[in-house]
Amino acid sequence: MIEAGHLYGIGVGPGDPELITLKALRLLQNAPVVAYPVSFGKSLARSIVANYLPENQIEIPMPFPFKIDESAQPFYDKAAEELAKHLSAGQDVVVLCEGDPFFYGTFMYLFTRLSEQFVTEVVPGVSSVMASASALGVPLTYRNDAFMVLSAILPAQELSQKLAVADAAVIIKLGKHFTKVYEVLKQLGLAERAKFIERATMHNQRIVPLSEVAPDTVPYFSLIMIPSQWESE
């Protein structure tokens, strides 16, 4: 009887190839099968680790729509079925995930489908939130701060309510929602404190004042950070 392979979800960080952990790198280079999400024909996760990939490794691109008006669940079902074939045949499978697998990561949906059937291990990675704080040069939180991570997709009223009670916050998934978020920040008096960054740690990273951001050009991989206000005692 063939022993099933192990499934590994590894975080490859936000973009800088040097931010991958040693453990993730070891698993990546030893696994016979590597899978990664693909959107619009490209895979950011694969591009991050491209120089680390060994030869003769089986690659499984997993196309996902990443569209609000289209359910990705059938795509996750199909991807899980494909991975299960290799795992059942005794092959270890590494799944690449930008940032951290369990922090808004695509791997979560494969984990829920496969972890009860196959031995699964998750290797954490550097999230875009932490990488952005370092790139911007601003400490996120101090002492007993309440910190929130919010999706820009939320309605303006809900964003406003949550931001009003946070000491520090990060708003992710900006894209076409930038204008809505910016208006909320101005209404709450947070616009001057807020910091904008896109494609953190990538070769085309860009940091500009919030007031100079062109709304039509804001990519999905961008965020707004509202760092803590700490005053020394």
Side-chain angles (χ1 to χ4, degrees):
M1 182 177 180
I2 299 176
E3 182 178 353
H6 290 202
L7 175 64
Y8 300 96
I10 66 170
V12 297
D16 182 346
E18 292 186 324
L19 291 179
I20 187 173
T21 65
L22 292 174
K23 183 171 185 177
L25 180 60
R26 172 177 59 81
L27 292 170
L28 171 64
Q29 295 187 326
N30 289 333
V33 182
V34 60
Y36 43 81
V38 173
S39 179
F40 303 106
K42 298 180 180 180
S43 174
L44 173 59
R46 189 192 186 283
S47 70
I48 293 173
V49 300
N51 291 334
Y52 302 142
L53 295 174
E55 296 181 1
N56 303 320
Q57 195 173 44
I58 299 172
E59 296 191 22
I60 304 177
M62 302 181 295
F64 299 128
F66 295 117
K67 296 178 181 179
I68 296 177
D69 58 349
E70 183 177 0
S71 173
Q73 300 313 308
F75 294 86
Y76 286 114
D77 290 339
K78 183 176 180 180
E81 290 175 4
E82 180 67 18
L83 299 187
K85 292 178 183 177
H86 291 276
L87 292 165
S88 297
Q91 295 177 308
D92 290 344
V93 176
V94 162
V95 178
L96 310 180
C97 189
E98 300 104 352
D100 181 274
F102 276 178
F103 186 73
Y104 296 95
T106 53
F107 181 72
M108 295 185 295
Y109 305 102
L110 297 172
F111 177 86
T112 57
R113 287 166 167 79
L114 296 170
S115 61
E116 291 186 2
Q117 184 179 357
F118 302 101
V119 176
T120 303
E121 182 176 353
V122 177
V123 180
V126 178
S127 73
S128 61
V129 170
M130 302 309 164
S132 294
S134 297
L136 289 165
V138 291
L140 269 178
T141 56
Y142 291 93
R143 302 178 71 175
N144 300 319
D145 283 340
F147 173 65
M148 285 191 184
V149 178
L150 302 171
S151 168
I153 299 172
L154 292 171
Q157 183 178 0
E158 190 169 348
L159 280 172
S160 181
Q161 291 172 345
K162 293 181 182 298
L163 286 170
V165 297
D167 296 305
V170 168
I171 304 170
I172 62 174
K173 303 182 181 181
L174 282 176
K176 64 182 181 181
H177 304 282
F178 174 84
T179 300
K180 173 186 66 180
V181 173
Y182 190 24
E183 289 301 318
V184 170
L185 294 176
K186 287 191 289 186
Q187 291 169 12
L188 294 173
L190 297 173
E192 292 299 319
R193 190 168 127 206
K195 309 288 184 181
F196 173 87
I197 183 171
E198 60 184 53
R199 301 184 176 92
T201 80
M202 301 182 198
H203 71 279
N204 54 349
Q205 171 183 294
R206 185 167 173 262
I207 298 173
V208 294
L210 211 61
S211 59
E212 297 180 15
V213 175
D216 294 339
T217 66
V218 176
Y220 177 84
F221 289 106
S222 61
L223 59 78
I224 291 174
M225 183 168 293
I226 302 136
S228 171
Q229 291 190 114
W230 180 77
E231 296 181 4
S232 59
E233 296 179 354

